[in-house]
């Protein structure tokens, strides 16, 4: 579509463009179309030249773009609010079910030959959504629409804007951030200076030992060493992560070493 109206040069490899290639390729261009993996800072802007007019990112988040520097240079910046809402909401619900019902653990148990009895009353007993209290951040409406059919007990949210009429109309209730930390804690906020490492040991210690933490926002919103400690020592039950630090996460990262906890002590009712 762009080639009908513009001269287009793009990185042909199906992976993140190396910074050297970005700086070289951007020289003399009027528009940058980028992704969250492309750090657009003063070095890139200098390499592009004074003719640069627009930076468009194919993401909702724009923390990878130096907005203040763009303002100084009168460069317009655009993002894609609302475009990934449905897919992120669906993935959020999927992670809730996967972690709550211990699907990966059960699948791995089969692969590892740990399913040795036809049936045990408490083996791989997880937690469902029915009667749970769900806390969520910014993309609350789309997630709430999907989880209400699971007969959750209540939905609470925290947002810099309050009230959020769309989720309030569905029965969700605004609470202060510390009161958000309930059965399922869903993090779907933007990454800003205020939300960087929003979840640390302090927040994990406030959660129930049966709480499940879901992050479909940005990896830097979470202090991952603190999350590891919270999982390792049973401060929270489980975590479902769409985003991490670093990305891609190494296969020997501390978080990937966490195996299933003792299943007989991990069972609880859906209350």
């Amino acid at each position: 579509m762009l080639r009908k109206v513009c001269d287009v040069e793009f990185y042909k490899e199906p992976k993140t463009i190396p910074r050297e290639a970005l700086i070289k390729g951007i020289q003399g261009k009027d528009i940058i179309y980028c992704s969250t993996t492309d750090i657009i800072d003063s070095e890139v802007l200098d390499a592009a030249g004074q003719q640069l007019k627009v930076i468009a990112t194919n993401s909702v988040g724009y923390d990878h773009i130096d907005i203040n520097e763009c303002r100084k240079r009168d460069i317009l910046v655009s993002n894609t609010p609302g475009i990934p809402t449905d897919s992120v909401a669906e993935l959020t619900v999927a992670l809730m079910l996967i972690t709550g019902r211990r699907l990966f653990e059960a699948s791995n148990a089969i692969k590892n030959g740990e399913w040795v009895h036809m049936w045990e009353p408490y083996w791989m007993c997880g937690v469902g959504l029915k009667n749970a209290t769900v806390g969520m951040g910014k993309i609350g409406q789309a997630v709430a629409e999907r989880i209400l059919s699971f007969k959750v007990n209540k939905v609470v949210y925290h947002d810099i804007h309050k009230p959020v009429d769309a989720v309030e109309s569905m029965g969700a209730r605004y609470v202060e951030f510390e009161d958000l930390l309930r059965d399922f804690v869903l993090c779907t906020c933007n990454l800003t200076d205020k939300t960087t490492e929003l979840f640390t040991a302090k927040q994990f210690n406030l959660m129930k030992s049966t709480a499940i933490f879901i992050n479909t926002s940005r990896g830097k919103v979470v202090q991952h060493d603190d999350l590891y400690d919270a999982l390792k020592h049973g401060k929270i039950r489980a975590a479902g992560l769409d985003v991490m630090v670093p990305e891609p996460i190494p296969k020997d990262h501390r978080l990937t070493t966490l195996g299933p906890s003792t299943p007989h002590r991990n069972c609880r009712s859906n209350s």
Side-chain angles (χ1 to χ4, degrees):
M1 293 174 65
L2 285 173
R3 280 176 165 165
K4 294 177 181 179
V5 293
C6 303
D7 293 325
V8 179
E9 181 179 342
F10 67 96
Y11 187 64
K12 296 182 175 62
E13 297 295 325
K15 58 183 179 181
T16 302
I17 182 173
R19 186 166 178 82
E20 298 78 13
L22 174 64
I23 291 175
K24 180 180 179 181
I26 208 64
Q27 296 175 13
K29 301 300 188 295
D30 298 299
I31 300 172
I32 299 175
Y33 181 64
C34 63
S35 185
T36 56
T37 54
D38 306 320
I39 306 302
I40 309 300
D41 53 16
S42 57
E43 182 183 17
V44 173
L45 299 178
D46 288 341
Q50 295 183 352
Q51 81 295 326
L52 182 66
K53 301 178 181 69
V54 176
I55 299 172
T57 179
N58 64 359
S59 60
V60 177
Y62 47 85
D63 51 280
H64 55 295
I65 302 172
D66 190 332
I67 298 297
N68 290 329
E69 194 64 33
C70 290
R71 286 196 183 102
K72 292 178 185 177
R73 305 180 189 219
D74 291 326
I75 298 172
L76 297 175
V77 178
S78 70
N79 64 339
T80 58
I83 298 300
T85 298
D86 288 336
S87 58
V88 173
E90 290 170 6
L91 178 60
T92 301
V93 174
L95 288 174
M96 293 172 70
L97 294 170
I98 287 169
T99 51
R101 289 302 185 185
R102 306 177 68 181
L103 300 184
F104 281 164
E105 294 176 60
S107 176
N108 288 333
I110 294 174
K111 294 177 183 177
N112 297 332
E114 297 169 9
W115 187 18
V116 294
H117 302 292
M118 181 173 290
W119 180 76
E120 292 180 53
Y122 299 117
W123 192 64
M124 287 295 165
C125 181
V127 55
L129 298 182
K130 185 177 180 181
N131 296 332
T133 297
V134 180
M136 64 181 58
K138 186 137 181 156
I139 306 182
Q141 181 179 359
V143 177
E145 289 173 348
R146 288 159 174 79
I147 62 175
L148 286 174
S149 61
F150 288 94
K151 298 181 180 180
V152 297
N153 183 42
K154 68 176 72 170
V155 177
V156 294
Y157 73 95
H158 180 80
D159 197 283
I160 58 174
H161 304 291
K162 60 178 181 178
V164 179
D165 293 336
V167 291
E168 292 274 347
S169 65
M170 289 185 284
R173 180 170 58 88
Y174 176 88
V175 297
E176 294 301 325
F177 181 68
E178 288 74 16
D179 296 323
L180 189 74
L181 310 176
R182 303 298 184 92
D183 296 333
F184 284 87
V185 181
L186 316 183
C187 179
T188 55
C189 62
N190 291 328
L191 180 63
T192 66
D193 291 340
K194 292 184 177 180
T195 61
T196 297
E197 295 198 351
L198 180 64
F199 287 90
T200 64
K202 177 182 177 181
Q203 286 70 45
F204 295 126
N205 287 334
L206 290 173
M207 295 182 192
K208 299 178 182 179
S209 61
T210 53
I212 293 176
F213 176 70
I214 305 293
N215 185 17
T216 51
S217 59
R218 292 297 181 87
K220 291 182 179 179
V221 172
V222 181
Q223 216 299 328
H224 283 74
D225 287 334
D226 289 352
L227 174 60
Y228 171 86
D229 290 336
L231 292 166
K232 181 71 173 178
H233 300 294
K235 296 293 181 64
I236 63 174
R237 180 188 181 99
L241 307 178
D242 173 44
V243 286
M244 306 95 177
V245 176
E247 290 184 355
I249 192 168
K251 65 180 182 179
D252 58 351
H253 190 276
R254 295 177 77 196
L255 284 171
T256 66
T257 65
L258 293 173
S261 54
T262 306
H264 290 71
R265 293 183 299 181
N266 233 4
C267 181
R268 75 174 182 90
S269 63
N270 296 334
S271 59

